[in-house]
């Protein structure tokens, strides 16, 4: 297979783009480095396309490897033909290659293999040939009676021959391909209750059916889980007449023969006993794989938006980890993330303890000048939120709060990493610290947690672990490298996500920092043990050093482009000092007068790199997250009982899934906006118009207090339109 051509066609790119990208990948370059610092080589492809291309490249190479293995196996059996060779060369999927290999693949003992051992293959071949002048199959079978081989009579010989014919039909790649197509285009996926009396969350699937080519991914995953938990039984059905017609058309001789009916019966046996169960498993597996891939894509998109949420910078935060029996754990964290104070409050016990807790929080606010409070959304979160809102009303300072997701906080606080970071705190206090830091800088804190535990997906525990882990790691890597990392404050967890840096090198960087003091130049990275030249090339551009005398060390300009940056400034009548003082307002205009292509040629870089250099020089130390709308902070709290249909509210998107989005509207319980209630325009998926962290306007549709369910809409009610008019 011409892999470059295949990738060119699939991704609708030019050949040179694919060739250069494959070369860069093979040279050991990371995707973030290729995306950011080799734009001229691949034509400014974005991170996502490059990652998908890399994954497809690996798949096609594995496909070619399997193709070679199958060819060698068939050839070793001396059964290779020009037809088989051409079919293998043409095959574009693993399923096609395995279909070709099926007749030649070593099998466990089957009815057919036992019949072959009894010497019945010539009889099977003679019957399958369906000669018009042949004797009846039973008469032919009489000549194969051999008690020593276990063929007692003609009926036994005939049955053995039919078993061989059935297996040969089942192994026919053309028949399987056509039947597979029938299952996909005309099959029905149906599920029913394993026990109709059993109550479960899968009740809507107790009598469910939908065409295979239309069933939604989240339904497939729900049915799969229902089966595993033994609440459901599911399967695929197709029109049996159409299926047997496909087989008969392929195997029945139009000339007619005394053997034709026997071949027809063998074909029916092949379908019922061998082909149907096999292809049903294949299609179920394909549906699950496709649904999982879509779910991973949704999870990845949600995680990306969550990690890139704007940090609440420059604020001293109070983290509250709610709890009933063990109390509410507290942690005061300064603007750099350093822990200033910790403690425990009892706000759900007696009135006296609650009042004492209020006084404690007020003193903390006054002592540390706290301006934001982060509340975990777990057990007792509602009570803690009410408690916080009451305090805010009772004090004069400007303080606001936000409920943040606790997902993964308990996993982190009990981890070896947390123990190393906070050996002096117990597990619960570490969790309070994590909650405060999540508000201050979501990215820096959430990278410490396994992405699967962050809780912005659907059915994530049912996903293939390797594929999910790879996809989510890619998202984290993208986010960290997009923002950049402060080399003098970053934790080992954050550093290990930088392109070219693994966990061991990250620890080595921190160790060097602790031993030698703060980094003052990117070039010092070359002195870090275990960090070689290739790693430096990959990571240097993503590291930031605010303390460096060279302003370029606090930008996304790669060290290899420092000469180009300086040359550009000289051409435009500036110096690095002007970049330090923010005096480059006219730089874009001067480059425009000169012409971008001319400026790029003079500085020795391509136009895309030139544009990136200019962007960084204009805003050294820029954080792309600062350009996004800030998170919504609250000062008051509502109860689900306060909601009435038609009420207009502001909310924050917490999770986007296949059938809608969950919105935090400040009543502890997230409301659901179904996909049909997002917009009047047609959308394929909620992700087309919504993203995690986005602040949206919603209206209450209905409230089910006993079941704690809130239905919302983003479509403005007619009454609201009339009121405005």
């Amino acid at each position: 297979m011409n892999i470059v051509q295949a990738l060119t066609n699939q991704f609708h790119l030019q050949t040179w783009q694919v060739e250069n990208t494959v070369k860069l990948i093979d040279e050991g370059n990371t995707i973030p480095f290729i995306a950011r610092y080799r734009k001229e080589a691949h034509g400014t492809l974005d991170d996502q396309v490059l990652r998908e291309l890399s994954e497809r490249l690996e798949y096609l190479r594995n496909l070619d490897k399997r193709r070679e293995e199958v060819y060698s196996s068939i050839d070793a059996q001396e059964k290779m033909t020009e037809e088989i060779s051409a079919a293998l060369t043409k095959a574009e999927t693993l399923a096609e290659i395995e279909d070709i290999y099926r007749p030649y693949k070593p099998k466990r003992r089957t009815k057919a293999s036992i019949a072959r051992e009894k010497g019945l293959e010539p009889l099977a071949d003679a019957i399958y040939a369906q000669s018009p002048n042949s004797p009846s199959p039973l008469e032919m079978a009489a000549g194969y009676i051999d008690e020593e081989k276990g063929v007692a009579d003609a009926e036994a010989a005939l049955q053995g021959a039919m078993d061989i014919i059935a297996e040969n039909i089942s192994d026919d790649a053309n028949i399987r391909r056509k039947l597979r197509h029938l299952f996909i285009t005309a099959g029905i996926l149906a599920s029913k209750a394993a026990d109709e009396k059993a109550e479960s969350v899968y009740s809507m699937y107790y009598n469910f059916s939908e065409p295979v080519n239309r069933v939604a991914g989240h339904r497939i995953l729900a049915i799969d889980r229902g089966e595993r938990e033994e609440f459901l039984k599911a399967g695929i059905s197709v029109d049996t007449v159409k299926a047997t017609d496909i087989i008969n058309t392929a195997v029945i001789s139009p000339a007619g023969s005394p053997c034709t009916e026997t071949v027809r019966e063998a074909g029916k046996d092949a379908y019922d006993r061998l082909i149907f169960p096999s292809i049903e498993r294949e299609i179920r597996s394909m549906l699950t794989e496709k649904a999982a891939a879509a779910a991973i894509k949704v999870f990845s998109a949600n995680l990306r938006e969550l990690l890139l949420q704007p940090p609440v910078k420059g604020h001293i935060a109070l983290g509250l980890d709610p709890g009933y029996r063990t109390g509410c754990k507290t942690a005061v964290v300064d603007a750099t993330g350093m822990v200033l104070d910790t403690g425990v409050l009892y706000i759900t016990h007696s009135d006296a303890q609650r009042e004492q807790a209020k006084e404690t929080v007020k003193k903390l606010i006054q002592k540390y000048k706290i301006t934001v409070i982060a509340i975990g959304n777990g057990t007792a979160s509602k009570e803690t939120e009410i408690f916080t809102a009451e305090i805010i009303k009772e004090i004069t300072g400007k303080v606001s709060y936000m409920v943040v997701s606790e997902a993964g906080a308990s996993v982190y606080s009990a981890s070896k990493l947390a123990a190393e970071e906070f050996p002096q705190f117990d597990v619960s206090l570490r969790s309070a610290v994590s909650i405060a830091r999540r508000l201050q800088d979501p990215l820096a804190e959430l990278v410490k947690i396994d992405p699967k535990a962050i809780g912005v997906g659907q059915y994530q525990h049912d996903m293939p672990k390797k594929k999910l882990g790879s996809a989510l790691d890619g998202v984290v890597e993208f986010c960290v490298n997009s923002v950049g990392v402060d080399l003098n404050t970053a934790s080992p967890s954050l550093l290990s996500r930088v392109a070219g840096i693994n966990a061991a090198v990250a620890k080595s960087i921190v160790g060097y920092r602790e031993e030698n003091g703060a980094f003052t130049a990117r070039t010092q990275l070359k002195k870090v043990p275990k960090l070689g030249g290739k790693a430096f090339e990959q990571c240097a551009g993503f590291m930031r050093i605010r303390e460096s005398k060279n302003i370029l060390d606090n930008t996304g300009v790669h060290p290899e482009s420092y000469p180009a940056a300086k040359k550009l400034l000289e051409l435009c009548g500036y110096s690095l000092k002007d970049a330090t003082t923010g005096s480059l307002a006219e730089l874009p205009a001067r480059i425009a007068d000169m012409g971008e292509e001319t400026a790029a040629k003079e500085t020795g870089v391509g136009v895309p790199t030139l544009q990136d250099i200019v962007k960084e020089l204009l805003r050294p130390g820029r954080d792309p997250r600062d350009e996004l709308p800030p998170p919504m902070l609250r000062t008051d709290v509502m109860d689900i009982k306060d909601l009435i249909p038609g009420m207009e509210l502001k909310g924050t998107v917490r999770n986007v899934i296949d059938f809608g989005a969950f919105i935090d509207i400040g009543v502890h319980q997230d409301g659901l906006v179904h996909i049909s209630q997002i917009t009047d325009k047609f959308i394929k998926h909620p992700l087309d118009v919504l993203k995690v962290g986005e602040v949206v306007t919603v209206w209450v549709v209905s409230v089910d207090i006993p079941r704690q369910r809130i239905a919302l809409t983003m479509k403005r009610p007619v009454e609201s339109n009339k009121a405005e008019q």
Side-chain angles (χ1 to χ4, degrees), residues 16 36 56 93 130 220 273 321 373 390 409 536 547 635:
W16 65 267
R36 181 67 174 78
R56 186 62 179 170
T93 66
Q130 300 170 72
I220 292 166
R273 181 169 58 87
D321 181 14
I373 299 174
E390 289 175 358
F536 177 80
E547 299 82 1
T635 57

Side-chain angles (χ1 to χ4, degrees), residues 385 389-390 392-393 401 634-638 666:
E385 189 177 356
E390 289 175 358
I392 291 174
K393 287 180 181 178
Y401 75 87
R634 302 181 185 278
T635 57
D636 204 354
V637 65
M638 290 178 62

Side-chain angles (χ1 to χ4, degrees), residues 652-666:
T652 303
V653 179
R654 288 297 180 206
N655 197 8
V656 182
I657 50 179
D658 287 347
F659 54 85
F662 288 100
I663 314 293
D664 173 12
I665 53 174

Side-chain angles (χ1 to χ4, degrees), residues 225-291:
R225 182 183 286 182
E227 273 192 301
R228 284 196 301 274
E229 296 179 5
E230 299 183 352
F231 286 105
L232 299 176
K233 291 182 178 180
I236 296 174
S237 62
V238 292
D239 188 321
T240 305
V241 174
K242 289 182 179 179
T244 52
D245 280 350
I246 288 172
I247 295 174
N248 291 337
T249 300
V251 304
I252 299 300
S253 171
S257 165
C259 297
T260 295
E261 191 56 37
T262 299
V263 174
R264 192 188 307 276
E265 287 181 28
K268 184 178 184 304
D269 176 50
Y271 178 72
D272 293 340
R273 181 169 58 87
L274 302 172
I275 300 176
F276 178 85
S278 173
I279 292 185
E280 183 190 32
R281 284 194 301 271
E282 271 186 48
I283 302 304
R284 287 290 305 276
S285 178
M286 181 200 74
L287 290 174
T288 299
E289 189 174 333
K290 188 176 178 181

Side-chain angles (χ1 to χ4, degrees), residues 281-310:
R281 284 194 301 271
E282 271 186 48
I283 302 304
R284 287 290 305 276
S285 178
M286 181 200 74
L287 290 174
T288 299
E289 189 174 333
K290 188 176 178 181
I296 289 172
K297 192 172 181 179
V298 171
F299 197 157
S300 298
N302 286 339
L303 179 63
R304 183 170 176 156
E305 298 301 333
L306 178 64
L307 293 178
L308 291 179
Q309 284 300 290

